[in-house]
Amino acid sequence: TSDRSEGLRAMITKPPSASLSWTLSWSTSPLRDIGQATGSITHDLRHMVRDRPASRWTLALAATQLGTSSRTLQRMLANEQSRFADLLVRTRLDVATELLARTSLSIGTIALLSGFSDHSHLCSTMQRIRGLPPSAIRSTAEQELMTHRANAW
């Protein structure tokens, strides 16, 4: 049995007042034993990175958090046709995409909260992998929301 570690989950909330300040709070959630709950180390690792996307993730840190060695983690990921670096970038892009769709935070702030070094790093990575810049993803989400609201009437 591996050691259980404590993970951190980011919650971004807008206060009820009309102020523009946002709050980033952290709550703990225990990490599962690797691969046991889902049968997939990729799923477990994505869950762990989603909880703390802005952490300075390395293969060694992820392995430690999961209670295994770096080499064992690499083997487990390879068995699922996955690589740590690819999984890390795609998970961070998922977090950024969700923040773009659900908040009005600046793209620079979203970049930092989702683990990218700055606005331009997020933009170039999203363009390369998703084929769209963050601004296009945000406007698509806004259009879908407006369509949904119009159809609700």
Side-chain angles (χ1 to χ4, degrees):
T1 310
S2 65
D3 293 337
R4 291 189 181 261
S5 302
E6 291 292 319
L8 296 176
R9 177 160 300 199
M11 303 292 285
I12 301 173
T13 54
K14 188 171 190 323
S17 68
S19 74
L20 295 177
S21 82
W22 290 77
T23 304
L24 177 63
S25 59
W26 300 92
S27 65
T28 60
S29 63
L31 297 174
R32 299 179 304 273
D33 289 334
I34 54 174
Q36 288 186 358
T38 63
S40 167
I41 187 62
T42 302
H43 180 272
D44 289 352
L45 190 53
R46 283 181 57 83
H47 177 76
M48 189 173 70
V49 171
R50 278 186 70 78
D51 283 350
R52 295 181 7 214
S55 290
R56 292 181 181 224
W57 287 106
T58 62
L59 181 69
L61 175 61
T64 300
Q65 291 290 312
L66 291 168
T68 191
S69 71
S70 297
R71 184 63 192 120
T72 298
L73 180 55
Q74 276 182 315
R75 270 193 306 274
M76 293 170 82
L77 287 168
N79 287 340
E80 295 181 12
Q81 289 78 45
S82 189
R83 291 185 37 222
F84 178 76
D86 295 338
L87 186 137
L88 181 62
V89 168
R90 290 183 186 280
T91 303
R92 286 177 167 167
L93 279 177
D94 290 346
V95 170
T97 300
E98 188 173 325
L99 290 172
L100 286 164
R102 296 177 181 243
T103 71
S104 60
L105 294 171
S106 72
I107 294 174
T109 299
I110 289 172
L112 296 176
L113 289 173
S114 57
F116 292 92
S117 57
D118 57 32
H119 175 275
S120 64
H121 186 213
L122 170 62
C123 290
S124 63
T125 303
M126 192 166 279
Q127 180 72 45
R128 179 174 46 86
I129 293 175
R130 301 267 165 92
L132 293 170
S135 57
I137 289 175
R138 173 168 275 162
S139 48
T140 299
E142 288 171 354
Q143 288 172 353
E144 288 175 1
L145 180 61
M146 291 170 84
T147 301
H148 176 73
R149 285 182 181 161
N151 291 335
W153 290 97

